[in-house]
Amino acid sequence: MNAVHWVRSRQEESELVYWLSVVAYDPRDRSLNNRLYLIYIVVFFAVWIFAVLTLFAGGGAVILQAVSPADPAGAAAWLLAVLLAAWGLFALRSALRRSPVVFTEEDGLLLGQTPVSRRAVVLRWLWLPWIKNALPFWLAAVTLGFSLIEATVPGEMGLQHLPEYIVHGVRAWLPFVPAHLGLFTLVWVAGVARLHRDQERRWIILPALALAAVLVLPALGLYPGEGILPSALRQLAGVLAYPLRAGFLPVSLGPALAAGWGLALAALALLWQAAEGFSLSRAAQETREGAEITSAMRYGLADYAAERQLQSRLGVVRRPSRLPAVPGPASLVWKDLIQARRSLRAAEVMDWIGLVGAALSFSLLPDPGSRMLALGFWSLQVGKVTSARLRSDLSVWPLTRQLPVTARSLLVLDAAPSLGLALVLSLAALGAGAAAGAPAWAWVLVLPGAAISAAGSAAYDILRRARADLLMNGSAPAVSSTGIIMGAACVLAPAAGLLWMPGPAGLLAAVAGSLALAGLCLRLAERSYGRIGGD
Amino acid sequence: MSICLSARQLSKTYNSFQALAPVSFDLNHGEIVTLSGPNGSGKTTLLSCLSGLVRPSTGTVTVGGCDLYRDEREARRKLMYVPDVPRFYLELTAWEHLRFIALANDAVDGFEQRAERLLRAFGLWDARDLFPHHFSRGMRLKLGLVLAFIRPFKALLLDEPTSALDTESVQLLLTELVRVRSEGATVLLSTHDPALIEQFGDRRMVMRQGQVEFAG
């Protein structure tokens, strides 16, 4: 046990040091100034968190009264139950597919191949993930406690209500702690019991389904007012969620705390039992890659983390694509379509949604200043989505550089699919704006040049900063603030002309300006491509 | 013998460090030239400059009469470089890489037969639908070589191609190189293997501190 505790406590210490470094605190500095700074950080964040939660509590009070004006306490308990159920179902599904006990590669080598107690490892590993998972829920519970007081106490809230805030917040938090611990541990039981020695116990899904039902029942049954469950099930839901409800009701906390801690202890006992034959090596195999990606993202290696995530999602084998292809430079489009289809992520979809939103905002916003802001954001998104393929191809420099295509062909064909889609979506957004009564037909003529300018600026910025030695190692630069500003300037300049010079003259100037800037950006990008490696 | 690849006053300087002194040489059609030298002598820099991955500080490179920068597209059709650590597109399988290179180089006629022959020869046929990031280092090097051979070329540059290959694959590679030589191609092969240097190349280039010497 000592060895396990020693390894894990070092990891927990490292985690704490990381978070302290985020607030510029160095635990190795033993000076008085640094210790005073620690006290300052604690006080500052306590006050800041309190202030932020009270801010959110205002919105929470509105939600509680909208859910149930007559029973805001019941509404608060129901909301918390819904949050727990949503998290619980997701966590349960995850635990049934991948070990909840996460090991890094070093853990796998150290622990997976030594005769340590599996129970000791699992129980020692539980606490840090539990705390990290519990923190947002604790904040939610406290916020709901604050919301309850704001929903129930009449009049303006002031400093004189501070003790009531604290009481309600602590009261909502206290019984939630053991209840969450119990549920979190039960999810771990499902995940740990699945990996038993050399077996993978698929039948664990049956008790997992029962646990899922326990999670969902309060979310369905605690809803104040007319519910969808029969009375008996609603009563059962009330019993199951008693610790949650007690935090918001004017009842004694003793029984709720006893029930909560009873659940927690029972769950820990179950975990102790389930961990007896837990396969550390198989858990390490399942979690090593995820741990590496998390670590990379934490230390700013976003590109490396994204690459590993993509490799994980792609799997091992894929049948050849049946997409028809055209020989010559157009094969770049074929390659791009396959890559785009296989690498699509939620973050990329959000980028496209942002692009459409910006175009729609530009169309609907009334004043020129706001429209310029929306257009600036639109140019940022266009640059981002159109430069992704170029960056990806640059990171495979030896293959890309040796393709028998000119720089211009490469730049145009790399950006063409995404630029085409960006234009179609933006025009559709303008059309939607027009249907809502905000016609912007002149912009239809300016948009193509503007989009090419934004794309060209982003490409130029990437290419001027690209270094052959880094590209050979797969590291292509992202668009910098210079590229963003340049793209925005190239888009906003002709747009400003159109906004402040209405009529055919302004339109002509805007269209000509956007096309000229588009050509300039493309030319700059082309020349920069040819200069790569000349550093 | 006619000249296939020609370098004139080719040099590369990084800040004040001269990685490659001005060199001029010609490589003929139908010959294999080995390139050797101590670590840090500039072999990879020379190959990178010849292939255009790194732009030289001075000098020109001509492949089959085409300047590498002025007639870029034509020159690239004739030249292929395989680095010691090839990189691949994450989203394409081995087979799709071959297809893409063949498409980009207009070498689609007989592609499937050629691809199958090369993949089987280098022991990658069963792995053709795998993503290269699941390959071992040796398999990646083999895929890099197959990508070179799938398309026609006049000049082939190889940076330590035998370093991660098993004995059988080395023999196979040498067989392929002899075949392309007989078809008139030029091969410049960087290696530390003394047996390869002694017995294989038609000529030897030796690099020392950025300078090139020919021997034999």
Side-chain angles (χ1 to χ4, degrees), chain A residues 136-296:
Chain A
F137 285 104
W138 291 352
L139 294 175
V142 170
T143 305
L144 283 170
F146 290 175
S147 302
L148 185 60
I149 186 177
E150 293 205 13
T152 52
V153 171
E156 196 72 24
M157 303 306 291
L159 211 56
Q160 69 276 16
H161 294 106
L162 183 62
E164 289 173 81
Y165 271 97
I166 293 173
V167 165
H168 275 72
V170 170
R171 199 193 156 81
W173 173 72
L174 266 177
F176 182 80
V177 172
H180 176 266
L181 173 59
L183 289 171
F184 186 87
T185 307
L186 286 173
V187 169
W188 268 48
V189 169
V192 164
R194 180 179 63 88
L195 295 175
H196 185 78
R197 296 204 170 92
D198 58 347
Q199 305 166 28
E200 188 173 342
R201 292 164 158 176
R202 297 262 177 215
W203 55 261
I204 291 294
I205 192 153
L206 296 170
L209 283 173
L211 178 58
V214 166
L215 285 166
V216 169
L217 199 57
L220 294 175
L222 287 188
Y223 181 73
E226 279 296 316
I228 58 172
L229 295 182
S231 168
L233 283 177
R234 285 167 66 85
Q235 284 183 10
L236 179 60
V239 168
L240 288 172
Y242 181 68
L244 294 186
R245 291 170 53 236
F248 300 102
L249 296 173
V251 299
S252 166
L253 276 183
L257 288 172
W261 283 111
L263 168 67
L265 288 170
L268 286 167
L270 258 180
L271 185 63
W272 171 263
Q273 182 58 35
E276 192 259 327
F278 180 56
S279 172
L280 295 181
S281 56
R282 291 186 56 216
Q285 280 173 29
E286 287 185 357
T287 58
R288 184 172 50 218
E289 189 164 16
E292 192 180 339
I293 291 170
T294 304
S295 180

Side-chain angles (χ1 to χ4, degrees), chain B residues 90-176:
Chain B
L90 280 179
E91 302 89 346
L92 301 188
T93 62
W95 180 264
E96 288 165 344
H97 272 88
L98 289 177
R99 187 152 179 238
F100 172 61
I101 295 298
L103 284 167
N105 287 273
D106 279 317
V108 291
D109 290 337
F111 159 73
E112 299 216 354
Q113 293 88 333
R114 225 165 44 246
E116 182 173 349
R117 179 186 74 78
L118 286 166
L119 287 171
R120 285 191 186 279
F122 280 93
L124 293 178
W125 177 246
D126 292 337
R128 64 194 183 280
D129 289 334
L130 267 65
F131 292 103
H133 50 260
H134 291 290
F135 284 9
S136 67
R137 190 178 162 220
M139 288 172 76
R140 285 185 220 185
L141 191 49
K142 287 190 209 178
L143 180 59
L145 293 168
V146 172
L147 287 178
F149 292 121
I150 196 65
R151 43 148 289 186
F153 52 78
K154 298 288 183 207
L156 178 63
L157 310 174
L158 302 165
D159 194 352
E160 302 198 34
T162 60
S163 59
L165 294 183
D166 52 74
T167 317
E168 199 179 310
S169 298
V170 170
Q171 287 306 313
L172 187 64
L173 170 63
L174 298 181
T175 306
E176 284 292 315

Side-chain angles (χ1 to χ4, degrees), chain B residues 47-84:
Chain B
L47 290 171
S48 299
C49 287
L50 289 174
S51 63
L53 295 196
V54 167
R55 202 171 177 107
S57 303
T58 65
T60 58
V61 176
T62 312
V63 186
C66 300
D67 186 285
L68 187 60
Y69 293 99
R70 289 210 193 95
D71 307 312
E72 188 171 357
R73 201 172 165 196
E74 278 311 305
R76 295 243 169 257
R77 286 188 188 284
K78 300 175 184 183
L79 177 66
M80 185 69 190
Y81 168 56
V82 182
D84 58 342

Side-chain angles (χ1 to χ4, degrees), chain A residues 12-33:
Chain A
E12 289 165 347
E13 190 182 322
S14 170
E15 181 82 11
L16 183 62
V17 165
Y18 171 79
W19 286 107
L20 288 174
S21 71
V22 169
V23 293
Y25 176 76
D26 182 1
R28 293 170 300 180
D29 183 354
R30 303 250 187 246
S31 65
L32 178 63
N33 272 350

